[in-house]
Amino acid sequence: MTSPLREEPPDAMASIRHEIVIDASPDHIWDVLRDVGAVHERLLPGRVTATRIEGDQRFLTFPDGHVIRELIVAIDDDARRLAYSVVEGSRPPLTHHHASFEVLARGDGTGRLIWTTDVLPHALAAEIRIRVERGAAEMKQTIEAAAGGRAAG
């Protein structure tokens, strides 16, 4: 489920919120997301070819060799929330990026992933939304495959 875009002044920050149900236990989903050094293995294999951690920074390498640098802002195990910011190398170029993942339990043993992304300029919101939706679908597929397609912990 994705929230609709609203008309905003051109200098307003776009906030994109995307929710997706994943057929895996919330603990399994969180274990994958919080493993910030294994994006290329556990979260987006193929889309990301390498992950490097240096202190609180994460470097993601893409198949074409492009690298983005992110700041890992917070990893909150109690809230199952990861916050990060792209600080260099964003495509398309952004003047501001901050995002968070939150994993919530559902009554049936599966989890709901909420991905919230705030970006400037607002004019790029539609393109970023498409990337978020595509990325969330890829994450869902990878996490479910690793969990055996069932709510397994």
Side-chain angles (χ1 to χ4, degrees):
M1 159 184 7
T2 303
S3 58
L5 286 175
R6 296 185 318 253
E7 288 297 320
E8 298 287 343
D11 59 346
M13 185 169 310
S15 188
I16 300 158
R17 179 180 166 100
H18 185 72
E19 296 186 27
I20 192 165
V21 173
I22 299 178
D23 188 12
S25 73
D27 287 340
H28 177 78
I29 299 165
W30 175 241
D31 185 61
V32 172
L33 288 170
R34 76 163 327 281
D35 193 356
V36 295
V39 173
H40 63 298
E41 297 170 334
R42 301 186 68 196
L43 190 61
L44 291 168
R47 167 109 20 222
V48 175
T49 59
T51 306
R52 185 175 87 246
I53 301 292
E54 291 182 11
D56 59 0
Q57 295 183 78
R58 173 169 67 183
F59 297 82
L60 302 176
T61 304
F62 293 85
D64 65 357
H66 183 76
V67 177
I68 64 167
R69 180 169 60 98
E70 298 175 330
L71 174 66
I72 303 299
V73 176
I75 300 172
D76 184 336
D77 289 317
D78 292 334
R80 288 193 201 111
R81 182 177 178 276
L82 166 67
Y84 69 98
S85 179
V86 175
V87 294
E88 186 178 319
S90 63
R91 290 192 296 192
L94 301 171
T95 56
H96 176 83
H97 173 280
H98 180 271
S100 66
F101 293 115
E102 186 175 3
V103 179
L104 302 177
R106 299 182 69 226
D108 61 0
T110 62
R112 177 179 303 277
L113 173 62
I114 302 170
W115 188 359
T116 305
T117 305
D118 300 324
V119 296
L120 284 173
H122 187 275
L124 293 174
E127 182 176 348
I128 299 302
R129 177 179 306 286
I130 291 168
R131 290 172 183 243
V132 164
E133 290 171 355
R134 185 182 313 134
E138 290 179 25
M139 290 178 208
K140 172 183 171 69
Q141 182 179 17
T142 302
I143 293 169
E144 287 179 349
R150 65 198 179 300

